[in-house]
Amino acid sequence: MLNISLEDQAREGKRDEASTSAIDVGALEKSFGAQRVLRGVDLRVDPGSIVALLGPSGCGKTTLLRSIAGLETADAGAIAIGGEPVTGPDLHVAPERRRVGMVFQDWALFPHMSVARNVAYGIGKGADTDVRVAGALEMVGLAGMGDRMPGTLSGGQQQRVAIARALAPEPAVLLLDEPFSNLDTNLRVQVRSEVHRLLTSLGVTAVFVTHDQEEAFVLGDEVAVMNRGLIVQQATPSELYLRPASPWIARFVGDANLLPAQASDGHLETPIGMLASGGSYTGAVEVAVRPEDVELEPGNRGVVELVEYYGHDTVYLVSLDGGVSIHVRATSAPAFKRGDRVGTRFIGDSPVVFDPEHIRGD
Ligand code: ATP
């Protein structure tokens, strides 16, 4: 007979808790008419982490978020929140019973209701409503502002009211759809930092939709890149940038030079010279080289076509003699001018190699 001590059981229990995802989406499908908008989406969100859904317009980000919230009914696949199935074959738990808080693109505050009444809206009327509303407002740094009308608050404060309203019912996860797109550029960066600090200090599990790579990288512990109804890579921002799973992702996430190359014996023959491949590739491959991983020097590999000086760095467009053009980014002020003949030196760790037969993600 197995003799499991209480301590062991407790340890097991803890392990189970730790391995339970906050959100688990499996093979989710959704069509609108003949259009397949979600084509088998898999997504896992760990408790306490912030995941950005990043992808081009129309790829299905909002549909996925709304499906997690229960605002869309999936055609196939499954969703569990905190280990509880909420979507599955013959299962569709109503949005209000999913323990999710939602912050919409336009925040959807009621303009004719006070801040406190807006926040109370999410929890309904009860004996402890006032206490809970005050607690939620304090949590987002708006203590004492309950009597104000939304229109008298700044954009950043209105954003926090929307977050307080979504958090007041103590949801398991917070879902945010393009939460900063309503703000002008300057305010957006400031509010983004405030929200980042707020979510991380509260340990909230959150998924937010964006088509802005910078926003995804700055806020996301992980970024799930979506393209045409699929999540093509889910990884930390740095993994995504340094090890994109496909040429499309390499280009979508930051700038990348995609160069044709011939691989053999651990080497790559590329338009910017011979590079170490860091793998056992052979034959024709594609190589992604970030512009900051190339340095220009006086030499004879190509000609400078364009110089763009941004203050913090300079970007050169170099036309290589073989006919390929590349971008090169240097942190210095311009050292070469249009028409200069230049050489190139690879200064990165190792280039990302895409073997056409083993490309994941597109
Ligand atoms: P964006 O960044 O532009 O908001 P998105 O990635 O969030 O795009 P979705 O809003 O999920 O994309 O839309 C994906 C596709 O599904 C689009 O072509 C859209 O027109 C279509 N779509 C979304 N909702 C509906 C609906 N209720 N009825 C019909 N088509 C819809």
Side-chain angles (χ1 to χ4, degrees), residues 23-35:
I23 303 175
D24 225 323
V25 176
L28 202 72
E29 306 252 351
K30 175 75 184 171
S31 296
F32 291 112
Q35 190 189 3

Side-chain angles (χ1 to χ4, degrees), residues 121-341:
Y121 190 82
I123 45 181
K125 201 82 196 125
D128 59 349
T129 304
D130 292 349
V131 177
R132 289 175 71 184
V133 167
L137 286 175
E138 190 171 344
M139 198 158 63
V140 299
L142 293 178
M145 307 271 260
D147 292 335
R148 299 272 290 268
M149 299 305 277
T152 69
L153 302 181
S154 71
Q157 287 170 328
Q158 290 183 40
Q159 165 81 293
R160 279 188 276 156
V161 174
I163 292 176
R165 182 175 62 185
L167 289 178
E170 298 176 9
V173 297
L174 187 64
L175 307 174
L176 307 101
D177 191 359
E178 298 266 6
F180 310 108
S181 58
N182 233 356
L183 301 164
D184 67 40
T185 319
N186 290 336
L187 196 57
R188 179 187 277 231
V189 172
Q190 184 197 326
V191 172
R192 188 173 75 192
S193 291
E194 282 173 16
V195 170
H196 192 193
R197 209 176 317 140
L198 179 69
L199 296 183
T200 42
S201 67
L202 295 174
V204 173
T205 306
V207 178
F208 74 100
V209 161
T210 181
H211 55 255
D212 179 334
Q213 186 226 312
E214 184 181 290
E215 202 160 286
F217 270 44
V218 170
L219 269 180
D221 295 313
E222 283 195 323
V223 178
V225 180
M226 268 190 98
N227 190 23
R228 289 183 280 140
L230 282 175
I231 288 181
V232 289
Q233 189 173 8
Q234 183 181 353
T236 64
S238 60
E239 278 168 357
L240 207 54
Y241 191 76
L242 297 172
R243 296 284 138 203
S246 73
W248 184 86
I249 299 169
R251 243 200 223 116
F252 186 68
V253 175
D255 298 326
N257 297 298
L258 288 165
L259 307 173
Q262 280 295 324
S264 61
D265 302 330
H267 287 95
L268 298 161
E269 203 183 316
T270 79
I272 56 166
M274 201 67 110
L275 310 178
S277 77
S280 54
Y281 305 95
T282 46
V285 294
E286 200 167 18
V287 172
V289 173
R290 297 291 182 193
E292 62 273 23
D293 287 343
V294 181
E295 201 170 67
L296 295 183
E297 56 194 13
N300 220 9
R301 202 181 289 282
V303 63
V304 174
E305 292 284 349
L306 202 62
V307 181
E308 291 176 333
Y309 179 52
Y310 292 93
H312 41 74
D313 55 16
T314 303
V315 176
Y316 301 94
L317 176 67
V318 177
S319 175
L320 301 171
D321 291 346
V324 175
S325 292
I326 60 164
H327 283 110
V328 175
R329 190 192 311 278
T331 48
S332 51
F336 299 92
K337 59 182 190 316
R338 187 177 144 77
D340 282 354
R341 295 282 307 162

Side-chain angles (χ1 to χ4, degrees), residues 30-33 35-38 53-66 72 105 177-178 209-211 226:
K30 175 75 184 171
S31 296
F32 291 112
Q35 190 189 3
R36 278 182 83 199
V37 174
L38 302 180
L53 282 181
L54 173 69
S57 183
C59 71
K61 305 178 295 291
T62 296
T63 304
L64 173 57
L65 200 77
R66 288 173 56 82
E72 299 288 356
Q105 197 162 0
D177 191 359
E178 298 266 6
V209 161
T210 181
H211 55 255
M226 268 190 98

